[in-house]
Amino acid sequence: MNPTMKTQSYEIGMVGLGVMGRNLLLNMADHGHSVAGYDKDITKVAALRQEAEHRDIRGVESVSEFVGLLRVPRAVMLLVPAGAPVDAVIHDLLPCLARGDLIIDAGNSYFDDTNLRAEALAERKIQFLGVGVSGGEYGARHGPSIMPGGPKDAYERIRAILEAVAAKVDGEPCVTWLGPGAAGHFVKMVHNGIEYGMMQLIAETYDLMKRGLGLSDDELHDVYSTWNNSELNSYLIEITDHTFTQVDEQTGKRLIDEILDVAKQNGTGMWTSQSAMKLQVPAPTIDAAVGMRDISMLEKEREEASRILPRPIRRLEGDHQMFIGQLRSALYTGMIITYAQGMALLAVASIKHNYHLDLEAVARIWRGGCIIRAALLGDICAAFHAKPGLPNLLLDPKLSEKVKTHQENLRKMVCVASELGIPAPGLMVSLAYLDSYRSAWLPANLIQAQRDYFGAHTYERIDEKGVFHTQWEKE
């Protein structure tokens, strides 16, 4: 191919040719779009060139050559790690870009960083989109869920490409413009927070069946396979089912039993918890999931504590099949509650940050491609379609009816976990959230009294409007 014939002919460029960037470029090319890729790592450029085959793809190792390949006004997508790497790439690109060009950050950037970058680039008349992409390696190649935010006209410039590569559900692409500013990255952050919560809940069901019932890997595979054909149908249950049959090539044993019990985090779950606290939106299931990953990293301390604070895990007596059915029901309730916490956070953030989110649209684009896709999202779409301003999914008639049907099994599993000595904080706080949210009275009056007693922080009264203070101790 003659390079001069290809000058300024590519529709979009990709910076970052790791697994996600390379697969997304291949996806774009498969849908008839001409694409250019750049990475400082020449081995990644070589991998793209090898995989390109007949597709209209060009991989280069120079920023100036890369930018020169793109049609004007240019569209450049970044798929690099969040934080400093994003700023470094923008710094390298800017000398080669011009007014009217567009930078698209498709990584897991913190939404406040997205706002700052958009403001800085706007001063140079360069547009900026913060775009969440969910689906992992397979999704990038075959159809992810895509969550764009930023200027609407900037989104329209790449809309055709994003709609082409996105996952499809009932013929609809799992992508839509979500709102101005950092709306896209905020939604992706909350998506990941929900993901944290759901993974923690599933892990707790695994523990209850492994240590509580003594089920084998084959039996666990059968349980999750059956669950995936129930109301729990979801991507996370599906892959959980698959993990128990994978054989380790090194040992010949089941791989799941060779994996260290330490789960790190990349920040998005923590950011969700921090944002929820800042906006005063309770999200305890997500908080617990973040905390449990932190506890898992205290491996040596946990080993020492197990010797200092011994309490053997007890085995459950009784009907195992009944227990498994109750556990499935409890998990379903926990999943509804986790979605409720995440969507409630989006509802408040939409107002506070002026995103004007359409929560039905958010749920709709999560139905395919993304990690938290689940049959339950159909009910969530219906809930926001019926009442767009719904503050919490637990107030939806259909979903609240489901919670009422399954809640006693959640309560039973919390009791069983406590009795057996198996940690299940996700299930426990999900139940506490439910009981607190539906409680017409909470003991916060005592907290008001205590705060006023020791710090003169004042309190409010039931029978009279205003703010009051009492001299609790007489001199």
Side-chain angles (χ1 to χ4, degrees), residues 203-265:
E204 291 173 12
T205 66
Y206 161 57
D207 196 1
L208 283 164
M209 289 188 284
K210 179 179 176 65
R211 292 198 288 177
L213 297 183
L215 296 193
S216 68
D217 290 333
D218 285 334
E219 289 171 322
L220 288 162
H221 160 73
D222 290 341
V223 169
Y224 287 109
S225 179
T226 300
W227 284 6
N228 197 44
N229 291 311
S230 72
E231 68 275 11
L232 287 175
N233 174 257
S234 62
Y235 174 72
L236 284 172
I237 295 293
E238 177 186 343
I239 65 171
T240 301
D241 157 22
H242 296 167
T243 61
F244 292 103
T245 57
Q246 185 72 33
V247 175
D248 178 28
E249 294 180 357
Q250 296 183 38
T251 64
K253 300 177 182 179
R254 295 296 171 89
L255 179 59
I256 188 67
D257 300 316
E258 302 303 308
I259 297 175
L260 188 67
D261 63 329
V262 174
K264 298 178 182 180
Q265 57 171 315

Side-chain angles (χ1 to χ4, degrees), residues 57-133:
I57 295 177
R58 182 80 173 277
V60 297
E61 303 161 20
S62 159
V63 171
S64 58
E65 182 184 0
F66 167 72
V67 174
L69 292 170
L70 305 177
R71 294 178 190 172
V72 177
R74 304 169 187 87
V76 181
M77 180 175 285
L78 318 183
L79 255 171
V80 298
V86 176
D87 293 316
V89 169
I90 293 173
H91 178 269
D92 290 345
L93 285 171
L94 279 178
C96 303
L97 298 181
R99 292 167 62 102
D101 288 343
L102 168 63
I103 296 177
I104 307 140
D105 178 7
N108 278 334
S109 289
Y110 185 49
F111 72 98
D112 275 344
D113 292 342
T114 299
N115 287 328
L116 293 173
R117 289 169 186 142
E119 291 171 6
L121 289 168
E123 294 178 359
R124 305 180 69 138
K125 307 301 179 185
I126 293 175
Q127 291 187 304
F128 189 74
L129 288 174
V131 177
V133 178

Side-chain angles (χ1 to χ4, degrees), residues 111 130 146-150 176-191 194 279 341-366 384-385 387-391:
F111 72 98
I146 307 176
M147 295 153 259
T176 190
W177 179 72
L178 293 173
H185 275 152
F186 194 95
V187 170
K188 177 56 164 54
M189 178 190 72
V190 175
H191 164 285
I194 294 171
L279 293 173
Q341 292 171 18
M343 300 308 279
L345 175 55
L346 288 179
V348 172
S350 179
I351 296 169
K352 295 288 186 179
H353 298 314
N354 296 312
Y355 292 150
H356 309 291
L357 294 174
D358 178 346
L359 295 185
E360 180 188 356
V362 171
R364 187 170 62 247
I365 65 173
W366 284 350
F384 287 116
H385 181 77
K387 190 173 182 180
L390 187 68

Side-chain angles (χ1 to χ4, degrees), residues 13-86:
M14 176 72 72
V15 178
L17 300 179
V19 172
M20 287 291 289
R22 191 167 69 251
N23 278 320
L24 197 56
L25 268 193
L26 292 167
N27 188 349
M28 292 174 181
D30 281 344
H31 286 89
H33 297 284
S34 59
V35 294
Y38 161 73
D39 200 295
K40 287 183 177 180
D41 187 337
I42 60 174
T43 62
K44 293 178 180 178
V45 176
L48 175 65
R49 289 171 177 166
Q50 184 176 2
E51 292 184 70
E53 297 177 336
H54 62 280
R55 302 174 182 88
D56 196 1
I57 295 177
R58 182 80 173 277
V60 297
E61 303 161 20
S62 159
V63 171
S64 58
E65 182 184 0
F66 167 72
V67 174
L69 292 170
L70 305 177
R71 294 178 190 172
V72 177
R74 304 169 187 87
V76 181
M77 180 175 285
L78 318 183
L79 255 171
V80 298
V86 176

